[in-house]
Amino acid sequence: MFRNREEAAEQIAARLEHHRGSNPLVLAIPRGGVPMGQVIADRLEGELDIVLVHKIGAPGNPEFAIGSVDETGHVELNPGVERYGISPDYIDSEAERQLENIRKRRQRYRRPPTRAEGRVAILVDDGIATGATLFAAIRSLRAQNPSRLVVGVGVAPPDTVERIRREVDELVCLEAPAEFMAVGQFFQDFRQVEDEEVIAALGGESS
């Protein structure tokens, strides 16, 4: 168990020390990944930004992710979603609704997206459950042609870790426990990260 996100971030940064000096672009998934991304960017002398993706919830159960959408509008569905018989019209409308939420969040954070083209891109989050959000972020970044795509996370289930490994150039996952219920169970301090903290980390002024 990690004391907090910052402790996990220090461990990830230590394993990515070989990227220090290359001006890596550290892309945190808000909001929980941002405190970690800030530590990693500082340690590796890189630049911090965020990558915005949003899960698409199932009909009648919005907390159950069936996929996700990124800032470009690209939809990534989870494997096996077709067996639920969800209509394409529902997926299209829900994706558009979540895309509008992404646009509002980008405006709230007062930061235009930084392009990853030609750079080492390090995608950071505190932990991964289903991976829907992370895989959408990976697809979004791949389309920008980074020189190297790296993922650093604190904890994820073993099967998700193997799926991630196949999609990226380098992966640091500190823990991959077989008994996985939720990301928060592996952090003593798993406080909610507020928008004001994200804005401050990105160099804006919180209000």
Side-chain angles (χ1 to χ4, degrees):
M1 180 176 285
F2 307 109
R3 287 198 306 273
N4 50 37
R5 293 181 176 95
E6 289 75 13
E7 180 186 65
E10 292 282 3
Q11 294 183 32
I12 292 172
R15 297 194 190 186
L16 295 176
E17 177 68 21
H18 51 285
H19 291 300
R20 189 160 66 92
S22 65
N23 189 30
L25 177 60
V26 179
L27 293 148
I29 297 179
R31 290 176 289 192
V34 173
M36 294 181 63
Q38 187 171 26
V39 170
I40 293 168
D42 287 345
R43 297 296 179 270
L44 301 183
E45 300 174 0
E47 180 182 3
L48 176 66
D49 198 2
I50 52 174
V51 57
L52 292 176
V53 291
H54 209 291
K55 71 181 177 184
I56 298 172
N61 186 6
E63 292 305 310
F64 179 74
I66 61 171
S68 52
V69 61
D70 67 17
E71 280 191 87
T72 70
H74 174 75
V75 174
E76 182 74 18
L77 295 178
N78 291 353
V81 163
E82 62 278 358
R83 70 175 180 266
Y84 298 116
I86 300 170
S87 75
D89 286 346
Y90 169 83
I91 293 172
D92 289 346
S93 63
E94 186 63 13
E96 182 57 38
R97 191 172 74 86
Q98 298 305 338
L99 182 58
E100 181 60 28
N101 288 335
I102 287 174
R103 291 174 180 138
K104 289 177 180 177
R105 176 170 277 193
R106 176 61 76 178
Q107 186 176 31
R108 185 162 67 247
Y109 290 159
R110 309 164 201 170
R111 173 74 172 256
T114 304
R115 293 285 298 177
E117 184 174 359
R119 301 180 66 176
V120 174
I122 303 175
L123 184 59
V124 176
D125 204 358
D126 45 23
I128 306 299
T130 66
T133 299
L134 182 74
F135 286 110
I138 289 171
R139 299 289 192 281
S140 177
L141 289 174
R142 274 290 183 211
Q144 297 179 35
N145 296 314
S147 62
R148 190 166 179 82
L149 181 52
V150 182
V151 167
V153 297
V155 61
D159 58 337
T160 302
V161 169
E162 290 310 308
R163 287 178 58 210
I164 297 169
R165 198 181 306 279
R166 293 192 293 267
E167 298 287 338
V168 299
D169 301 308
E170 187 178 352
L171 169 65
V172 174
C173 180
L174 300 176
E175 299 290 341
E179 298 296 325
F180 184 99
M181 294 176 61
V183 173
Q185 78 185 93
F186 300 99
F187 291 81
Q188 292 176 2
D189 174 9
F190 198 63
R191 63 183 178 79
Q192 180 169 306
V193 178
E194 303 296 341
D195 279 337
E196 288 76 14
E197 187 173 347
V198 175
I199 293 168
L202 295 175
E205 296 181 359
S206 61
S207 57

